[in-house]
Amino acid sequence: MSISTKYNPAEVESKRYQEWLDKGFFKSTPNPDKEPYTIIIPPPNVTGVLHMGHMLNNTIQDVLIRKARMEGKEACWVPGTDHASIATEAKVVGMLREKGIKKSDLTREEFLKYAFEWKDKYGGIILNQLQRLGASCDWDRTFFTMDEKNSAAVRDVFISYFKKGYVYRDYKMVNWDPTAQTTISNEEVIYKDVDAALYYVEYEIEGSDKKVTIATTRPETILGDTAICINPNDERYTHLKGKKAIVPMVNRVIPIIEDEYVDLEFGTGCLKVTPAHDTNDYDLGQKHNLETIDILNDDATLNEDAQFYVGMTREEARKQISIDLKESGHMVKVESMRHKVGFSERNPDTVIEPKLSLQWFVDMQKIVGPALENVMNDNIQFFPDKFKNTYKHWLENIKDWPISRQLWWGQQIPAYYYGDDGVAVGKTKEEALEMAIKDTGNSSLTLDDLKQDEDVVDTWFSSALVPISCFDGFANPDNEEYKYYYPTQTLVTGWDIIFFWVARMIISGYEFANEKPFEQVYFTGMVRDLQRRKMSKSLGNSPDALGLIDQYGADGVRVGMLLSSAAGNDLLFDEKLCEQGSKFANKIWNSFRFIKTQEVQDIPQDPAAKIAGEWFMNRINEVVVELDDLFSKFRLSEALMSTYKLVWDDFCSWYLEMIKPKYGEPIDQKTYDQAIGFIEQVMKIIHPFMPFISEEIWHNLQDRGDKDYVMIAEWPTHAGFDADQVKKTSDVFEAITGIRNVRSSKGMSPKEALELKIKATDFVSYEAYIPVIQKLANVSSVEGTDSKIENAATFIIEKDEFYVPLGEYADTAEDKEEAQKEISRLEGFIKGIDKKLSNEKFVNNAPEKVVAMEKKKKADAEAKIALLNQKL
RNA sequence: GGGCUCUUAGCUCAGCUGGUUCAGAGCACCUGCCUUACAAGCAGGGGGUCACUGGUUCGAAUCCAGUAGGGCCCA
């Protein structure tokens, strides 16, 4: 057969992925004979396209799920997408605008029809892109957070919370996104340092010619001022106590109040209070019973109540009022400063406006108990566990969660209002009516008296329910799937959504399933560029994910992503790592090609190949043990590196070189069969990391049956291994390297055969390896010796002395000088050990093992010195 | 401001419960090779005051305290 000298990923990947799909290997059904291993995907937004974060995150999930599948577990990776209300609604509104349709001209139903059309068209793109990466999801299970199952769950949960008093409706200060025109939660506000100005503005004191100066970063809110606040301990302002001030421009008379909240150091120590437009001011307003004047519209332009600048944006009004105040002589000065300003996560250029609004809130403190406890006691394990701290801190200081979103795309809040202040909840309007009648005793209420809340719930309220709802655990808690798959095993997600999603899933899990949603959480880092900047569209530093796959192959990109991603640490993405991945794929391909193209004959086994086989068998087993340990700790980049070295160093550089027949000669059948067997083992081991090439080689090694795929092959079990044999072989490798080193430093040709004499305590133990040494170091003879050899290069391995006679290449003065240097270094080394050994405290306190080790170190160094002295 | 966290080779990172010739890996770099699987390769090599200061200890990259600098979260 002819095998291409280069591995061609593009061709292989689409072919193999389709086969896996066709054979149904991704599918999972409950199987009581198998242990379940379930992962629920962090559902990407329906608006999303595949980016580097997804690539990392989903590569990791695929590695875990593929290994579990091979280990004989019932592996089930559930994919899905998130409706992402704010982001999606914005996209749909934008799309409609292009068609000339205004959202406000549509009914809710009409809008949702457009939104679902949009979702059906674009919502699946990202999942298709995941297939390019090799994701082995059970696609038949694909969920969507607005599926009826999950939407019903949202209603159930809301009603349940309502009945338990865990949700309440209140008029409070919330974070308002004026672009999306909805409330968002605290977690969705991103604080950024920005350059700003601090304006010092003078207010007149009523009935006096005195004035007071306040400092503010938002002079436009002066129009909504309803008090001035001073610190009662501030001696500078005692004369103002009980007085009233006059707001510039609007000439409103406002009280001067006292509160220790005011920072004496900041600005003038004198604070203007605008309860409608600042959270702290709002609190002051409540405390001191102040009037609240809201001067902003929902889109953050000024309204009629502002009296001035009506219709201008906040920013325009700020500019204009600073000019006008200057002209009217109220502006004392303007200082530049830097301060933190909250921006919307969804609209990064939009400044969040604190806004008073009537909203539904979840009383978080009532429901976080089990979620905190079960993470702290490792009932749910976090990897890395440092995130337990962050989690704990958040839960212990948790604030009530505003869940109303003034949008249509999402699950409409199942609360119905009637009369002046009646509220009822229900899965349907009819149910709510029943409740209303029961609550009021007024049986004359009709459906027409009830009006459903216009808002939808926060997307995260909805996605927090997915682990239960995707197995239909709300409506049908006794169903087989739910009982089998829940709780799931591993959640793989970025640490940035630990509060948004992870914590809320855990809370919901304990609240509604009485059980954790998953056993372990593996937090991945954020993908950054080489300058440590976050990848973003605006910086243009995010590589095209699919382009990378085209260029390096999915396997190459997977390796590239994993190589640099220690758990929880951000990773600096470097395209060179993908290149390294694709080179690795090519290396694997060539090793396979090498074996496969040998001419095989029924001849006795080559003695070097025999040793090689014994050794490599042991090495594989050693590495398998190591890998299982690393996987259990989620040290995936280290697991990959172990695999990488097993393939590149052990298999290619040593094993293949040992079994390689002389030029033009055939390989013996036994060695060939062994080598094929080893490649099969190696393909299994690399499969979770590099699913495509391993599958391709698997099928090229021999004819395979219908279900004989490496993807579902059995993961190598720990067969145990002969550690002594591995050690001896590694000593021999060291000797071979030593000989090559001699050759290299003396400028001897690789073609020139050398001799080797070994003065060993047990020369017999080397005898079996003689063919190996001869083959790999081009040595004509290997003999034992009892005496030292003159005019030879020497080195020591494990107390055994190795001599390579030099003949005409005798040591030069330079070599002697080097030897002298080495002797001096060793003597210093011995001195240090002697110091330790003569320290009674050390000898008495240190474990015997450590003392013995020091003695051995000394003996070894002395032997080396003796050997080096011969050169001089 | 409060909390968390980090600082080890040119770069990115391992280094567990203090003790192995422990100062490591990958990449990058240097030297020599187109050796008949692979130049996307082979064989060798150099490179670090483990941020700093002090403490605990027979012994510290590792534990403790402080300092400097970076990052993150929350106000």
Side-chain angles (χ1 to χ4, degrees):
Chain A
M1 74 192 280
S2 91
I3 303 167
S4 155
T5 57
K6 295 225 153 92
Y7 173 61
N8 181 351
E11 189 184 303
V12 169
E13 287 169 8
S14 55
K15 177 182 71 181
R16 293 299 172 195
Y17 198 86
Q18 193 55 48
E19 281 177 38
W20 292 330
L21 274 177
D22 293 345
K23 306 260 173 184
F25 291 155
F26 300 157
K27 290 196 178 123
S28 170
T29 47
N31 179 348
D33 298 333
K34 286 173 151 190
E35 191 186 326
Y37 185 85
T38 313
I39 295 179
I40 293 175
I41 204 170
N45 291 348
V46 282
T47 57
V49 289
L50 194 66
H51 61 64
M52 300 311 288
H54 295 125
M55 301 262 273
L56 171 67
N57 184 260
N58 289 290
T59 296
I60 290 169
Q61 292 174 72
D62 197 45
V63 169
L64 295 175
I65 208 88
R66 282 182 185 271
K67 176 154 186 283
R69 195 179 285 120
M70 293 175 76
E71 285 172 327
K73 293 177 184 162
E74 184 56 45
C76 181
W77 183 9
V78 185
T81 48
D82 188 312
H83 66 280
S85 37
I86 300 179
T88 310
E89 182 146 331
K91 287 246 173 182
V92 174
V93 168
M95 178 271 292
L96 289 172
R97 197 185 302 126
E98 276 176 29
K99 287 188 180 173
I101 304 172
K102 272 161 68 182
K103 183 188 163 193
S104 52
D105 293 342
L106 297 175
T107 64
R108 188 178 194 116
E109 286 64 38
E110 286 166 343
F111 177 81
L112 287 179
K113 199 166 154 268
Y114 280 116
F116 272 108
E117 274 172 17
W118 186 92
K119 180 256 168 186
D120 289 341
K121 195 164 170 193
Y122 302 105
I125 289 179
I126 191 161
L127 297 182
N128 291 329
Q129 290 178 326
L130 282 179
Q131 302 198 346
R132 288 286 315 276
L133 194 60
S136 59
C137 302
D138 183 350
W139 300 106
D140 294 344
R141 295 178 177 276
T142 304
F143 66 85
F144 175 52
T145 50
M146 273 171 71
D147 282 345
E148 185 43 36
K149 260 194 277 187
N150 203 51
S151 294
V154 166
R155 289 191 292 271
D156 285 346
V157 165
F158 186 91
I159 293 164
S160 158
Y161 279 162
F162 180 85
K163 289 183 175 162
K164 291 181 187 164
Y166 295 172
V167 291
Y168 63 92
R169 192 169 183 234
D170 199 3
Y171 193 68
K172 289 214 283 192
M173 192 65 95
V174 293
N175 299 298
W176 182 261
D177 176 335
T179 302
Q181 300 211 16
T182 179
T183 314
I184 59 174
S185 68
N186 290 330
E187 289 73 34
E188 287 162 304
V189 181
I190 314 285
Y191 288 92
K192 284 189 267 192
D193 255 328
V194 295
D195 287 316
L198 188 62
Y199 301 87
Y200 288 76
V201 182
E202 247 174 15
Y203 289 43
E204 285 163 26
I205 306 294
E206 191 192 34
S208 138
D209 52 4
K210 293 232 168 69
K211 289 176 178 162
V212 60
T213 306
I214 54 92
T216 179
T217 54
R218 298 194 60 189
E220 74 279 14
T221 64
I222 283 173
L223 304 172
D225 279 357
T226 56
I228 295 279
C229 189
I230 55 171
N231 191 310
N233 305 319
D234 193 338
E235 289 174 5
R236 293 175 294 179
Y237 296 123
T238 39
H239 64 282
L240 292 179
K241 288 186 183 176
K243 297 266 170 53
K244 290 191 167 179
I246 301 168
V247 180
M249 318 230 4
V250 290
N251 295 321
R252 184 167 41 241
V253 177
I254 55 173
I256 295 174
I257 59 169
E258 297 165 47
D259 200 291
E260 296 196 343
Y261 161 76
V262 176
D263 181 354
L264 295 170
E265 305 296 321
F266 184 81
T268 60
C270 205
L271 183 74
K272 72 184 219 33
V273 185
T274 323
H277 298 294
D278 183 281
T279 313
N280 297 314
D281 289 10
Y282 176 72
D283 293 342
L284 280 174
Q286 291 292 98
K287 195 169 157 190
H288 297 272
N289 236 332
L290 300 175
E291 193 187 351
T292 299
I293 302 173
D294 189 337
I295 60 158
L296 292 177
N297 292 311
D298 285 352
D299 62 356
T301 56
L302 275 69
N303 65 23
E304 299 289 338
D305 289 334
Q307 302 181 40
F308 293 86
Y309 319 121
V310 176
M312 283 192 192
T313 65
R314 293 167 289 181
E315 293 76 15
E316 288 162 358
R318 187 173 311 152
K319 218 179 208 170
Q320 194 55 48
I321 199 172
S322 83
I323 294 169
D324 293 346
L325 287 172
K326 211 169 274 172
E327 279 180 6
S328 64
H330 287 92
M331 186 73 77
V332 180
K333 60 174 174 174
V334 181
E335 281 176 357
S336 57
M337 67 175 295
R338 266 182 96 72
H339 71 153
K340 295 240 185 216
V341 175
F343 290 82
S344 166
E345 194 201 27
R346 290 290 163 213
N347 296 297
D349 299 325
T350 299
V351 174
I352 290 304
E353 186 63 43
K355 183 179 168 66
L356 280 166
S357 166
L358 185 59
Q359 305 265 332
W360 284 96
F361 292 85
V362 180
D363 186 342
M364 296 300 279
Q365 284 186 357
K366 291 197 170 132
I367 51 174
V368 295
L372 178 56
E373 183 190 332
N374 284 289
V375 167
M376 293 323 286
N377 67 14
D378 286 330
N379 220 337
I380 298 172
Q381 287 179 284
F382 280 7
F383 293 87
D385 66 358
K386 66 177 177 187
F387 286 112
K388 279 165 77 177
N389 286 328
T390 317
Y391 180 83
K392 178 167 183 264
H393 189 257
W394 188 72
L395 284 189
E396 284 179 346
N397 298 286
I398 197 152
K399 305 213 167 47
D400 287 358
W401 172 22
I403 49 169
S404 299
R405 294 293 177 271
Q406 288 68 46
L407 302 166
W408 283 346
W409 181 240
Q411 289 100 357
Q412 191 172 1
I413 292 175
Y416 298 81
Y417 309 113
Y418 59 91
D420 287 338
D421 55 0
V423 183
V425 296
K427 281 184 220 173
T428 59
K429 203 170 185 182
E430 287 74 14
E431 247 187 58
L433 178 65
E434 238 174 79
M435 181 174 174
I437 290 172
K438 207 174 138 203
D439 286 352
T440 57
N442 177 0
S443 57
S444 65
L445 282 173
T446 67
L447 287 176
D448 288 341
D449 296 319
L450 263 58
K451 187 169 186 314
Q452 186 171 5
D453 194 303
E454 285 291 318
D455 293 346
V456 298
V457 294
D458 183 4
T459 307
W460 298 107
F461 187 95
S462 157
S463 57
L465 310 177
V466 160
I468 304 175
S469 73
C470 78
F471 300 118
D472 202 16
F474 282 98
N476 190 7
D478 291 324
N479 86 75
E480 186 195 9
E481 295 227 327
Y482 177 58
K483 288 202 294 200
Y484 184 74
Y485 291 116
Y486 191 94
T488 67
Q489 275 58 56
T490 310
L491 174 73
V492 180
T493 190
W495 51 254
D496 54 333
I497 55 173
I498 183 169
F499 308 134
F500 285 119
W501 195 48
V502 180
R504 286 167 184 159
M505 273 193 288
I506 297 175
I507 291 169
S508 306
Y510 283 105
E511 182 68 25
F512 297 100
N514 271 316
E515 178 59 283
K516 58 191 161 193
F518 29 71
E519 292 169 356
Q520 305 157 325
V521 185
Y522 174 97
F523 288 103
T524 64
M526 300 294 108
V527 182
R528 296 175 184 275
D529 69 6
L530 286 173
Q531 282 100 53
R532 287 190 186 275
R533 297 176 306 182
K534 268 192 180 167
M535 299 249 167
S536 77
K537 271 187 209 148
S538 53
L539 279 174
N541 60 349
S542 185
D544 166 24
L546 293 181
L548 286 173
I549 293 178
D550 291 338
Q551 195 176 352
Y552 301 106
D555 289 331
V557 176
R558 290 166 66 111
V559 167
M561 298 302 306
L562 285 169
L563 273 178
S564 60
S565 63
N569 285 345
D570 287 358
L571 77 93
L572 309 190
F573 180 76
D574 185 351
E575 211 173 307
K576 273 196 286 190
L577 291 170
C578 294
E579 193 189 330
Q580 194 183 342
S582 73
K583 283 183 182 174
F584 183 45
N586 198 54
K587 182 74 182 175
I588 295 168
W589 183 255
N590 272 297
S591 65
F592 147 74
R593 193 165 67 91
F594 168 68
I595 291 183
K596 200 58 192 170
T597 51
Q598 291 301 312
E599 187 199 334
V600 188
Q601 268 186 25
D602 197 8
I603 48 175
Q605 185 172 31
D606 174 59
K610 181 168 178 288
I611 283 274
E614 289 165 9
W615 165 76
F616 193 68
M617 172 78 83
N618 282 321
R619 263 302 285 161
I620 286 189
N621 286 317
E622 190 179 19
V623 169
V624 166
V625 172
E626 199 180 307
L627 287 178
D628 285 348
D629 178 57
L630 291 170
F631 266 93
S632 75
K633 296 171 182 157
F634 289 95
R635 310 185 77 127
L636 300 191
S637 60
E638 285 172 63
L640 174 57
M641 191 41 73
S642 286
T643 306
Y644 185 90
K645 287 198 268 197
L646 174 74
V647 174
W648 205 302
D649 298 346
D650 295 325
F651 186 68
C652 294
S653 295
W654 289 111
Y655 175 77
L656 291 182
E657 292 303 323
M658 284 194 269
I659 67 162
K660 192 182 261 183
K662 281 193 189 121
Y663 179 57
E665 289 181 17
I667 196 165
D668 64 88
Q669 186 73 45
K670 189 166 181 191
T671 300
Y672 178 80
D673 292 345
Q674 268 183 347
I676 296 285
F678 288 145
I679 287 211
E680 285 193 342
Q681 293 292 93
V682 169
M683 288 310 105
K684 289 181 185 178
I685 292 171
I686 67 163
H687 180 76
F689 300 112
M690 308 176 84
F692 292 109
I693 191 173
S694 53
E695 194 67 85
E696 179 68 12
I697 291 178
W698 185 262
H699 289 274
N700 278 283
L701 283 172
Q702 50 177 287
D703 289 334
R704 301 286 178 178
D706 187 40
K707 295 271 173 183
D708 188 358
Y709 279 70
V710 71
M711 179 182 158
I712 52 166
E714 202 179 320
W715 183 257
T717 44
H718 308 192
F721 61 95
D722 181 349
D724 290 343
Q725 204 261 353
V726 174
K727 169 75 178 108
K728 186 78 208 174
T729 311
S730 124
D731 290 346
V732 169
F733 289 168
E734 209 180 310
I736 291 166
T737 303
I739 298 162
R740 287 172 176 167
N741 211 340
V742 169
R743 199 189 293 278
S744 157
S745 67
K746 295 285 178 191
M748 299 162 156
S749 157
K751 293 190 174 113
E752 186 175 351
L754 302 175
E755 289 172 22
L756 177 67
K757 302 205 186 297
I758 311 175
K759 182 167 173 290
T761 43
D762 179 20
F763 179 74
V764 180
S765 69
Y766 286 101
E767 278 180 340
Y769 289 92
I770 290 176
V772 173
I773 299 172
Q774 288 181 314
K775 193 166 185 173
L776 268 57
N778 190 17
V779 166
S780 55
S781 70
V782 179
E783 287 165 10
T785 174
D786 291 330
S787 54
K788 302 191 178 300
I789 311 291
E790 298 293 325
N791 187 27
T794 59
F795 51 90
I796 293 183
I797 295 160
E798 289 290 313
K799 284 194 175 154
D800 295 339
E801 297 170 13
F802 290 73
Y803 297 90
V804 181
L806 289 172
E808 56 188 298
Y809 293 97
D811 283 334
T812 60
E814 221 169 83
D815 292 322
K816 288 181 181 172
E817 201 179 308
E818 214 161 277
Q820 186 59 57
K821 254 195 200 158
E822 181 63 8
I823 289 170
S824 311
R825 192 188 70 81
L826 288 167
E827 280 169 352
F829 181 62
I830 290 173
K831 226 180 249 174
I833 297 172
D834 279 338
K835 207 167 146 195
K836 263 192 199 174
L837 289 174
S838 60
N839 181 340
E840 258 176 60
K841 282 183 179 167
F842 171 73
V843 180
N844 293 336
N845 290 324
E848 252 174 67
K849 213 176 78 187
V850 175
V851 178
M853 187 57 67
E854 291 299 319
K855 285 181 178 161
K856 180 177 181 297
K857 273 152 70 174
K858 182 180 172 181
D860 288 354
E862 279 169 344
K864 275 183 195 168
I865 290 175
L867 201 58
L868 286 165
N869 269 324
Q870 284 178 69
K871 282 182 183 268
L872 306 178

